[in-house]
Amino acid sequence: MRPLRAYRLCLLLTLPLFALRLFEQQSGAIERPSGFLASGFLWYHAAVLLLIAGCCCALRIIIKKSPESGEALPRPGASGALLLLLSGAAALVSGIVTIKEIGDEHLFIELLMSRAQLLAVGASPDGFKLRFAAAAAGFIAALWFFIAGIKAFKKAPLWDGGFLALCVPLWPALTAISRFAHSPVNARDSVSVTQLAACMALALACCCLTRGAALAEGKKTARRAAVFSLLAVYLAAGIKLADIGFYLACGEESEAALTAALTLAALAAAVCAAPKTTKPGEDGEKNEE
């Protein structure tokens, strides 16, 4: 099987994952507003994790053993360009909503205070500084998404981005860290745990893509980008996307906006990392149609 065909088949698993997660939300398996997993559903999560891990491992083996795999990251194409632009817009909106929410709860001067000073004035050091830093990184990542999308529409290779590219994986990574700083994460907290997993998978996928574009690395980086992008899509689009209704019902608009931004970014990464296959006699410049 060609890597691109296997990649597309693996991506189809996102649809049943989303349907199962949506059913889980509507059936009351996830308690509101805690986000905790109700008893008796641990088998479901174990089965989902095994299925996701199996698909990622299978895809890695197919790409690694296929002699048709290209030697570099493919060009994003029109669909990738559109998703990059949408990801930039979503990251921008998510950052604005997050900073507005932080501004409603804290004064700007509190960003410059130490933990002891915050406690002295009665403010809660609940990780809002890291949330602010993650939102700021999201603004810079949005700029990278916009420029990369514009260049992709011109049929250029994936843009390396220089310094801006560093903030693309930093954005989901800081988002995950801020979750830890906000409050302890319980293993039964299905909503928070899946968000952490989605953020870290997206950070790894973006790191592979931006590094591969900047250093023009070959097949090894392209293989990693494809696997991590597939994992990010499973977690962000397959699982977390269904949690938007949960966030809105709990009045957490910033989390809903962030989830939408992470989902679009994961889809953009998946399209940009789609394995390139070549036929004998071709120079490897074109993607398999």
Side-chain angles (χ1 to χ4, degrees):
M1 181 181 292
R2 291 185 176 181
L4 181 57
R5 187 172 300 169
Y7 188 70
R8 289 172 175 172
L9 289 175
C10 288
L11 282 176
L12 290 177
L13 180 62
T14 306
L15 297 177
L17 282 176
F18 175 78
L20 285 172
R21 181 66 169 186
L22 192 61
F23 171 78
E24 189 177 33
Q25 288 283 1
Q26 298 301 321
S27 64
I30 296 179
E31 301 171 354
R32 297 183 181 182
S34 66
F36 276 35
L37 184 68
S39 59
F41 285 85
L42 290 177
W43 64 269
Y44 160 75
H45 285 277
V48 168
L49 290 176
L50 287 175
L51 184 62
I52 289 175
C55 284
C56 290
C57 291
L59 178 66
R60 184 179 183 276
I61 293 172
I62 290 172
I63 297 177
K64 184 177 181 179
K65 292 187 175 182
S66 174
E68 299 176 340
S69 296
E71 293 297 328
L73 293 173
R75 299 177 189 272
S79 57
L82 179 60
L83 283 171
L84 286 169
L85 292 176
L86 291 175
S87 299
L92 186 62
V93 171
S94 173
I96 292 174
V97 174
T98 300
I99 289 180
K100 181 181 181 300
E101 186 176 282
I102 294 174
D104 293 339
E105 299 173 357
H106 301 273
L107 298 175
F108 176 76
I109 190 64
E110 293 179 7
L111 291 170
L112 307 177
M113 292 182 179
S114 65
R115 181 181 179 86
Q117 290 172 328
L118 289 172
L119 293 174
V121 299
S124 174
D126 56 355
F128 70 95
K129 294 182 181 180
L130 279 172
R131 287 185 66 202
F132 184 87
F139 286 138
I140 304 176
L143 181 58
W144 184 92
F145 284 128
F146 282 131
I147 299 176
I150 293 172
K151 287 184 175 292
F153 268 122
K154 297 179 180 179
K155 299 182 179 180
L158 188 64
W159 184 51
D160 56 0
F163 169 76
L164 295 181
L166 296 176
C167 289
V168 182
L170 188 64
W171 166 48
L174 282 177
T175 300
I177 295 172
S178 66
R179 171 65 64 180
F180 278 106
H182 180 268
S183 61
V185 178
N186 191 292
R188 284 186 57 205
D189 189 350
S190 176
V191 173
S192 296
V193 169
T194 51
Q195 186 185 50
L196 286 171
C199 285
M200 295 313 298
L202 180 59
L204 290 170
C206 291
C207 184
C208 290
L209 287 172
T210 53
R211 176 179 175 179
L215 303 180
E217 293 182 330
K219 189 173 179 179
K220 187 175 182 181
T221 299
R223 181 170 68 244
R224 289 177 177 175
V227 173
F228 285 133
S229 297
L230 179 68
L231 179 60
V233 169
Y234 283 163
L235 294 171
I239 296 179
K240 286 306 297 175
L241 185 60
D243 289 345
I244 289 182
F246 171 87
Y247 287 129
L248 292 177
C250 296
E252 300 180 5
E253 289 80 7
S254 63
E255 295 292 341
L258 176 63
T259 300
L262 293 174
T263 299
L264 285 171
L267 291 173
V271 172
C272 292
K276 181 175 68 175
T277 57
T278 60
K279 297 178 181 179
E282 291 184 342
D283 57 3
E285 290 291 326
K286 298 180 180 180
N287 287 354
E288 180 191 37
E289 294 296 329

